[in-house]
Amino acid sequence: MEHFDASLSTYFKALLGPRDTRVKGWFLLDNYIPTFVCSVIYLLIVWLGPKYMKNKQPFSCRGILVVYNLGLTLLSLYMFCELVTGVWQGSYNFFCQGTRNAGESDMKIIHVLWWYYFSKLIEFMDTFFFILRKNNHQITVLHVYHHATMFNIWWFVMNWVPCGHCSVCADNHSDQLWGHLAMFVPSWLVVFPDRIHDFPDCSLHELLHDLQQEGSLSEERPPEGPPERVCDCRKRTHQQLFFPGKQCEAKEATEGLKWQSR
């Protein structure tokens, strides 16, 4: 393994030039093998995970999703603030900025960019949660390509150009901050469904009718069918929202088919 790593280092040096010595000895940056192995394991899980979960009940992962999204939201906020202040303090030039022109500000940027690189490893969990929850339709080619390549790309960035204009590239990741925040809020509502239960327990067509009376919506046609059927639909919708792993009972499914055939 050491011989293989030495060969890779020689090849990278011949192709890209000498590495930046400021990141020498940093976690995961000395050699490429750990980054490559983690990426291969990620792709294997993406391939084998859905097959393993095919005949199993999906996991809700509600509690861990809240912690995960909150953690990444805070990390993204920290990186965003540190990058903005580092670029401001170092008086970065947005047209042509070298990698060794800002002194201490460059080192501040390098430390933040290492966290940005490491966050790409943490974000592998996005796909793992999709697999555990059996949301396989969200595991697209673009999704897998993005996660598998970003971790590798930023290993090379951190070893050869760990500051300068690369800070501008990472600073444009505010969509990641808002994305995790957008996922955190619904997951909080799912973990604490009792708060939602405080709303009036009325059917959907009653709620739409009340809004129409206030002038907020145009007249809506109430759903057809017996009242007990509407109640069953509400119960199943509630179960699918807050308990995605719970399957419909055979009796309910049979009744639904009979009602639709009328």
Side-chain angles (χ1 to χ4, degrees):
M1 188 65 69
E2 293 181 0
H3 177 71
F4 179 70
D5 178 60
S7 300
L8 276 179
S9 298
T10 303
Y11 174 76
F12 290 151
K13 184 176 181 179
L15 182 65
L16 301 173
R19 299 185 185 185
D20 196 308
T21 57
R22 290 173 293 184
V23 297
K24 186 176 181 179
W26 288 27
F27 183 58
L28 294 177
L29 295 184
D30 273 355
N31 59 76
Y32 178 61
I33 293 176
T35 299
F36 178 76
V37 169
C38 289
S39 301
V40 171
I41 294 175
Y42 168 77
L43 293 175
L44 286 174
I45 294 176
V46 170
W47 177 43
L48 298 175
K51 297 181 180 180
Y52 174 78
M53 292 294 299
K54 183 177 181 180
N55 298 320
K56 296 183 179 297
Q57 290 289 335
F59 296 91
S60 63
C61 305
R62 292 177 295 170
I64 193 173
L65 274 173
V66 172
V67 176
Y68 171 74
N69 284 315
L70 177 60
L72 279 181
T73 300
L74 296 177
L75 178 60
S76 298
L77 180 62
Y78 161 75
M79 291 188 293
F80 179 78
C81 295
E82 287 293 291
L83 285 170
V84 169
T85 56
V87 168
W88 181 268
Q89 293 171 0
S91 301
Y92 269 39
N93 188 325
F94 289 95
F95 294 98
C96 183
Q97 176 65 37
T99 58
R100 296 179 180 270
N101 297 345
E104 291 299 321
S105 294
D106 280 340
M107 287 306 302
K108 180 177 183 178
I109 295 294
I110 292 173
H111 280 90
V112 178
L113 291 184
W114 181 87
W115 278 107
Y116 185 72
Y117 156 75
F118 187 70
S119 70
K120 302 299 113 181
L121 176 62
I122 300 174
E123 288 173 3
F124 283 173
M125 294 298 298
D126 289 354
T127 313
F128 300 160
F129 287 130
F130 289 158
I131 294 173
L132 291 175
R133 302 179 72 190
K134 300 185 74 170
N135 293 339
N136 296 332
H137 64 282
Q138 294 180 283
I139 308 176
T140 63
V141 174
L142 181 60
H143 173 90
V144 176
Y145 169 80
H146 169 77
H147 282 285
T149 56
M150 284 294 288
F151 187 47
N152 290 267
I153 289 171
W154 276 90
W155 183 87
F156 287 96
V157 171
M158 289 303 300
N159 272 281
W160 275 273
V161 279
C163 53
H165 273 171
C166 292
S167 62
V168 180
C169 297
D171 205 18
N172 288 329
H173 82 303
S174 56
D175 58 330
Q176 174 179 302
L177 168 62
W178 294 110
H180 286 291
L181 184 61
M183 289 187 291
F184 168 70
V185 174
S187 61
W188 183 87
L189 293 175
V190 169
V191 170
F192 301 101
D194 291 340
R195 291 296 182 184
I196 299 180
H197 296 167
D198 293 338
F199 290 101
D201 186 17
C202 60
S203 59
L204 178 60
H205 73 276
E206 291 176 349
L207 176 62
L208 293 174
H209 178 73
D210 293 340
L211 292 176
Q212 188 273 332
Q213 292 294 331
E214 297 175 3
S216 300
L217 295 174
S218 59
E219 182 68 35
E220 295 287 345
R221 181 182 179 185
E224 300 177 354
E228 61 273 10
R229 177 60 187 170
V230 176
C231 182
D232 290 341
C233 290
R234 285 167 43 213
K235 290 180 179 178
R236 281 198 297 275
T237 302
H238 181 274
Q239 290 176 356
Q240 292 172 359
L241 176 62
F242 296 113
F243 306 98
K246 187 174 182 180
Q247 303 297 321
C248 295
E249 296 181 1
K251 182 178 178 181
E252 293 178 342
T254 303
E255 292 177 356
L257 292 175
K258 290 180 179 179
W259 185 80
Q260 289 180 359
S261 63
R262 294 177 182 176

